[in-house]
Each structure stands twice: as structure tokens, then as C-alpha cells.
Amino acid sequence: MAISKPNGTSSGEQKLTRFHVSATGHSLNYLPEYIATRHGFFKEQGIEVTVSVPKPWDLVLDELADGTAAAALGGIWVPSMYRDRVREYTVFAQLSNRCPLALIARKPLAEGFKISDVAGKTVLMKSGNGASVGLFFKMLLRENGVDPKSVDYVQDLDGVMLGDLFQGGMGDYFFIDNVSARTMAKRNPDISVVMEMATDGADIPWSVYYRETATTTPAVIETQERFCAALKKGMEWVMQHDAETFRDELAEIFPAAPVDVLVDLTNVYRRDNMWTSPLVSRHGFDRWQLGIADGRLVEKPLVYESIVDSGPAMAIKK
């Protein structure tokens, strides 16, 4: 599987094309990109990928605007809400096909949990990294017949602060990234993970690559095609290897997380379709657009072709 190199040159003879990704985080669900970089899959396609994680996260848009970044990596809700209002962005690839969040509870509430149990309770949700956490959780409630208004929320605080407060007794449930959820449950016997979205949250284009539509030239698209080919190879590599066989690499990529948690969760992600293809899932897109519209970020769900260019992902040669 390879996209033809420009001018027919080999990757050894060719000057690498710089491709900077401005990402909204450094996350386990981004693993195939990291693997593609570390294992030379991007360089095989004549691309040198670099990454920044600006703070605050919305500086990814500034890095797109000033030409620092060739792509932003984050939630599709951003280009969705900007469309026809501020600036046009085109999504050209998907990285994560599932939501990488989990719901945790203290032991009395964890027993026999079902999603309808959250009605009448207080759910903590971290803020500071965009709207996707609240958008997804409330969409999930609606899909399961639970009125989001029947739940109280605390969602204007930092995740670390909320974690401390939750363990100290605030709220009933905590909706947080899956690595942190499992780590907290591992360290605190009074807390259990009651629902993992990778397993129970269904398909959704959670993390996508996009750039400004106005700056997308034929040369840019050709580079995006090669990027997608390497990204697909990274996904295939992860799917072909049990995480236990590359636990040392996981520890290097995510040094702050317990490696046993990383290994177990990576295998859950492998099993439950976190990584499928660089092609943006159409049914996942349509589902997420309903959630984004219900959250009032768009007036009505967008049409797939209005914001997604499937060409770069479809150009991958097998």
C-alpha cells in the first residue's frame, strides 16, 4: 500500500515534505499517528510529520491560519460550528472512530449500573478542552431515552481539580478520559468504571484532521493522500499487534500513565473499533451531527460532503 511519490523518486532520494500537525491533546486514541511517526511510515511516504499541542487548545486554529500547521487534529464539532459563520475548514481524515471517555462512580452507585441511573444525579465533566465531553454525554442520554435536563452537571472546572473533588465526595458520577478513569479506579478501591464509551458508545468520528478550505491546493491534497496512506499503515500495525508486545513503546509515549492501564486499554480500543480507517465514517458523522445540532453549535446537521473531503483517504492504494 503506497501513494506514488512526486516525480517518481524514491523516499530515500526525495526531500521530505514537512507536515506539521497542531493537535488538541496527546492521547492514547491518537496512537496510530504516533506509531506511524516512530516506525517511519510517514517517511516512507516522503513526509516529515511534526506535532505541537498548543495551550489553550484553540490555538490550533491560529497555527492553521498562520501556516505553521498543515492540519489540525481534534473534534469535528469545531469546523462544523465555524462553517458559514467564521471560516471554512475541510476534514480530510479520521483518526479515532470511538469516543475515548468513560463514566466512573463510587462503589454503591456502581453496582448493576445502567445509563438511566444518572437521572436525578450529578455528573462531573471536565472543561477547558472544548465542548465534546458535554455534547457526547448529553447525546448518549438522549439516545437512551434519558432527558439530559434530568441530570445536574458540574462542568466548568479543570479535570484534575474535578478528579480530586470527585474522590473527596463531590457529585455522583464523573465523565472523564478513559486512561484517567482506569487509573483512578486502579488506585482508589472505592471507585469503579461503570461505562466505557469505546465499548458502549458506538461509532463516532471523534478525532479528525482538517485544514482551511481556502488553502487546500492540489499539492496539499496530494500530500494529504500520502499522509492518509501512512496513517492507515499505522492503524494496521496497531491492530496487528497485541499491546503487550509493545508495552515498552507505550510507556515511552505516555510516561505519566501506568503501563498496565495503557496495555489493557489499547487492547480494548483494538477490539472495539477505535481505529478503523482514515476515511471519515459516514454513519458516525451523521450521528455526531445530530449531537452537535442538539447542542446548538449548528442550526441543523451538516451534510457529509459539505465539510468532508473523502478523496485523500479514498486514494490509498492497496
Side-chain angles (χ1 to χ4, degrees), residues 3-4 43 58 70 93 115 128 135 148 158 192 203 207 211 213 217 219 240-241 261 277 286 303 311:
I3 298 297
S4 298
K43 287 188 176 180
D58 56 358
I115 190 64
L135 284 174
D158 173 76
S192 292
D203 291 349
S207 303
R211 70 172 288 140
T213 305
T217 65
Q240 292 165 1
H241 293 79
V261 169
S277 164
D286 290 341
V303 175

Side-chain angles (χ1 to χ4, degrees), residues 237-247 263 266-267 270:
W237 190 96
V238 172
M239 294 302 295
Q240 292 165 1
H241 293 79
D242 187 291
E244 186 63 44
T245 66
F246 59 99
R247 63 184 291 125
V263 169
T266 297
N267 281 334
R270 292 173 62 246

